[in-house]
Amino acid sequence: MANKLKGEVNIELAGNDYKCRLTIDSIMQIEDSCNCGIIKLATRMGEADIRMSEIINVLTPALRGGGNDLQRKDVMKLVQEAGIIKATTAVANLLAKTLTDDSKEETDEGKQEQEN
């Protein structure tokens, strides 16, 4: 199970669940390999303007940051098995959850539980 406080996110690829985590170092690595900032990359994803190499460039450090011992070729095989749409959706969700501050949402949920 992913630990939200550590920035971990669960994704599903090719029928398996994987824990992912984007650290500052991995975000810098992604930005360098994609030649754009992480926010711009996420925006481009929302506009359906992303390349497969960028999907791999995001997934590889994210999966490794989650504790998975996967190399680039392993990630490419996972993407092939999962399919382009599922892999792209997983990356979009990963970026959205990583870049979104949901602490207010968690606080609101906690308040609702206390009121009930």
Side-chain angles (χ1 to χ4, degrees):
M1 177 176 239
N3 183 342
K4 288 184 179 182
L5 296 176
K6 288 185 173 183
E8 295 173 348
V9 175
N10 282 329
I11 65 167
E12 189 268 323
L13 282 175
N16 295 310
D17 288 328
Y18 294 93
K19 186 170 30 175
C20 292
R21 182 168 179 247
L22 288 177
T23 63
I24 295 299
D25 185 52
S26 62
I27 290 172
M28 290 170 50
Q29 191 178 13
I30 291 165
E31 290 176 334
D32 286 344
S33 65
C34 294
N35 202 28
C36 70
I38 196 79
I39 304 286
K40 185 173 184 175
L41 183 65
T43 301
R44 286 186 24 227
M45 283 203 74
E47 297 168 350
D49 182 23
I50 190 156
R51 298 174 181 193
M52 284 309 300
S53 61
E54 292 170 326
I55 298 293
I56 303 299
N57 289 341
V58 172
L59 280 175
T60 302
L63 287 163
R64 292 179 61 80
N68 303 286
D69 187 21
L70 298 170
Q71 301 302 315
R72 183 177 173 87
K73 65 179 177 163
D74 301 321
V75 176
M76 290 171 70
K77 184 177 178 183
L78 272 177
V79 168
Q80 184 174 350
E81 291 173 5
I84 293 170
I85 300 299
K86 291 223 179 216
T88 303
T89 302
V91 169
N93 290 335
L94 169 67
L95 290 176
K97 288 178 182 177
T98 300
L99 299 174
T100 303
D101 178 16
D102 60 353
S103 59
K104 182 182 181 322
E105 187 177 297
E106 289 175 8
T107 303
D108 291 344
E109 287 175 7
K111 286 180 184 176
Q112 287 176 355
E113 287 176 10
Q114 289 177 354
E115 290 173 1
N116 293 329

